[in-house]
Amino acid sequence: TGGAKGIGLAIAHHLAADGACIALLGRDDPAALQCAAAGLGAEHTVADVTDPAALQAAIAHFSPCDILVNNAGTAVSRPFLKHTAVTACQAVLPGMRQRGSGRIVNIASTAGLKGYHRLCDRIARPDG
């Protein structure tokens, strides 16, 4: 996820150089993904990671998946059990378990090192 630019695209290039077959997922316009995919010989699709149904459908299109790099970020503050951040993991994990192998790499901002109560509310309201 988040493979159309920046860190996600750099990771895709490194994996491709090591012989991995790449599938890029991003929320940006399809032309950006096509440009990114062209340099990698990769498949590509557009989906927003905050839309669980769209994300599940996109990942199902690319299955089986041996390596998932969760690179797309969202700035939604909610209790963990109500969060959609694990949707991509949930989509690929059954196949990985069935095959007996797979890797999931989760990329996080510094907010991944320490939880901040209602972080998005404070960003939206600096006085908060």
Side-chain angles (χ1 to χ4, degrees):
T1 64
K5 58 188 176 186
I7 293 170
L9 184 56
I11 291 169
H13 278 284
H14 282 283
L15 289 170
D18 285 341
C21 179
I22 304 296
L24 299 175
L25 176 68
R27 71 174 177 184
D28 292 338
D29 114 11
L33 280 176
Q34 288 173 353
C35 290
L40 297 170
E43 290 189 55
H44 63 281
T45 194
V46 176
D48 187 332
V49 298
T50 64
D51 179 346
L55 182 58
Q56 291 260 358
I59 290 175
H61 174 74
F62 294 135
S63 290
C65 176
D66 294 314
I67 303 170
L68 168 66
V69 178
N70 267 325
N71 177 63
T74 62
V76 177
S77 179
R78 63 177 67 129
F80 181 77
L81 292 176
K82 294 183 179 181
H83 214 291
T84 59
V86 296
T87 304
C89 294
Q90 292 168 335
V92 301
L93 198 53
M96 289 179 175
R97 290 183 73 190
Q98 182 180 31
R99 290 186 307 281
S101 68
R103 299 290 183 264
I104 297 175
V105 178
N106 292 311
I107 308 292
S109 70
T110 57
L113 299 174
K114 178 182 183 212
Y116 298 96
H117 181 68
R118 305 295 296 182
L119 174 64
C120 291
D121 287 349
R122 283 190 289 207
I123 292 171
R125 294 178 294 138
D127 62 334

